[in-house]
Amino acid sequence: ADQGYWVGDMDNQMFTVVDTPGFGDQLVEEEKTIENLVATLRDEIKYVHVFILAFKQSDNRMTNSLRSMISLFEKMFGNKFWDNAILEATHWNHGIDSERIRQASHPPLTEKFWTDEFNRILKTEYNVKKDLKSIFIDTYYHHESDHESEVFSNNSQELLDFALSRKAFQCKDIEIALTEIRQLQNDLDNLKREEESKKEVIENLSAENYLLSETLKQYGLTTAAPLPEKQLGSEYCSKNRCYTPTEFALFGVGTIVMGIMVGVVGISWFKHQCLPDEYEEMREREKEMERRAEMMKERNRDSSGPYRDDDSYISEKDINQLDEISQTLKKLDDPRTELSDSKKEPHETDF
């Protein structure tokens, strides 16, 4: 970590810069770098206002080193790390010739195009929710050029304003995170240990199998070969009762037929129990209507005018009712409508 005054002006406030070296493929060196970085941030710096993600002007993709570093920061600081992050384009010369070369490329390499392109990459690879701001500070600018000096001053001030506008990120709770290479190495070690454990189990089972085989040979014992599944099923059915699909189907059909027969017998019994009472009732009503008709005929013979008595007068409606009852009784007396003579005779003897 280096400390100094902003742009070398002692009237400005002090600031601290922590340079994080890029990560490569040397796992041991990477882990030492991570340990030193975490110790510095947690014990010395204690809080961070801005994380500067530096890319070269000519970069158009994420390098493995930068990808590992960003992934490490996400693990160490979480998703809030992006709230304090800003993009920096290095080697971005603001001279007239450099500007002309950038404009001549296809598409033109402008500050907006460069910013949009890296924001697109970050959103794709790290699911960043918002666009990051960018700065274009060229530390090797020509001090004699008023234009380059002005651009350097403006970009430096923009970085300072951004840092002061951010809420300080506390580093007291960060922990040493594992890089992708170390995580993969640990997974590989776990797989190797698991493979060795399985090999050991196989060797123990093989040794046990050998001992059992030698014991059987020593005492002259043999073991029967296992039967196929079909033979095992046939052997079981030869000793126990098994049903074939056809037998199950016949059993179902028989159950349905039995249910129908029980229903028919129940209906017949119900008719046998209920119809006799109805039959006798209609007989009584017929006799009563005939009695009233006879009384009416006798009174008509005795008198010349109509004689009406509430107890003996038969209306046209009663006569129609009598005819209906007579027709019903004739049907009931018809042998074709009876269930069977054997069923009717016991009933007649009962009454």
Side-chain angles (χ1 to χ4, degrees), residues 116-272:
D116 293 341
E117 183 65 17
F118 271 95
N119 273 313
R120 182 190 63 80
I121 295 174
L122 292 175
K123 288 181 179 178
T124 302
E125 297 199 17
Y126 297 98
N127 197 25
V128 180
K129 302 300 182 182
K130 63 179 182 179
D131 291 336
L132 302 184
K133 292 184 177 181
S134 61
I135 52 177
F136 300 83
I137 299 177
D138 180 18
T139 56
Y140 295 97
Y141 71 96
H142 294 159
H143 296 270
E144 294 80 8
S145 172
D146 294 337
H147 172 69
E148 294 186 29
S149 298
E150 182 181 0
V151 173
F152 173 80
S153 177
N154 292 338
N155 279 272
S156 299
Q157 187 62 40
E158 186 176 351
L159 174 59
L160 178 61
D161 294 340
F162 178 82
L164 296 176
S165 66
R166 300 293 94 183
K167 182 180 179 181
F169 195 100
Q170 301 297 326
C171 300
K172 60 181 180 179
D173 296 327
I174 65 173
E175 297 179 356
I176 298 175
L178 297 178
T179 62
E180 295 179 357
I181 298 177
R182 168 53 69 184
Q183 187 65 51
L184 293 174
Q185 185 66 44
N186 291 344
D187 294 341
L188 181 60
D189 294 340
N190 292 334
L191 291 175
K192 288 182 178 179
R193 285 192 293 268
E194 185 177 352
E195 182 181 5
E196 292 176 358
S197 177
K198 290 181 178 180
K199 286 182 179 179
E200 184 178 356
V201 172
I202 293 174
E203 291 176 357
N204 293 334
L205 292 176
S206 300
E208 185 177 354
N209 183 39
Y210 175 77
L211 293 176
L212 291 175
S213 300
E214 291 298 322
T215 303
L216 292 175
K217 290 179 181 179
Q218 181 180 357
Y219 292 97
L221 300 176
T222 59
T223 57
L227 296 175
E229 294 184 359
K230 292 185 178 180
Q231 293 185 7
L232 292 175
S234 302
E235 182 180 355
Y236 176 81
C237 290
S238 63
K239 298 179 181 179
N240 302 275
R241 176 58 178 168
C242 294
Y243 295 95
T244 64
T246 303
E247 291 174 335
F248 273 111
L250 294 175
F251 178 76
V253 173
T255 303
I256 294 173
V257 173
M258 181 63 69
I260 295 173
M261 294 179 62
V262 171
V264 171
V265 172
I267 294 173
S268 301
W269 179 84
F270 178 78
K271 288 184 177 181
H272 177 72

Side-chain angles (χ1 to χ4, degrees), residues 16-34:
T16 303
V17 175
V18 179
D19 184 19
T20 57
F23 300 123
D25 298 329
Q26 300 298 324
L27 186 59
V28 177
E29 286 75 5
E30 280 190 14
E31 291 178 343
K32 291 181 178 179
T33 301
I34 294 170

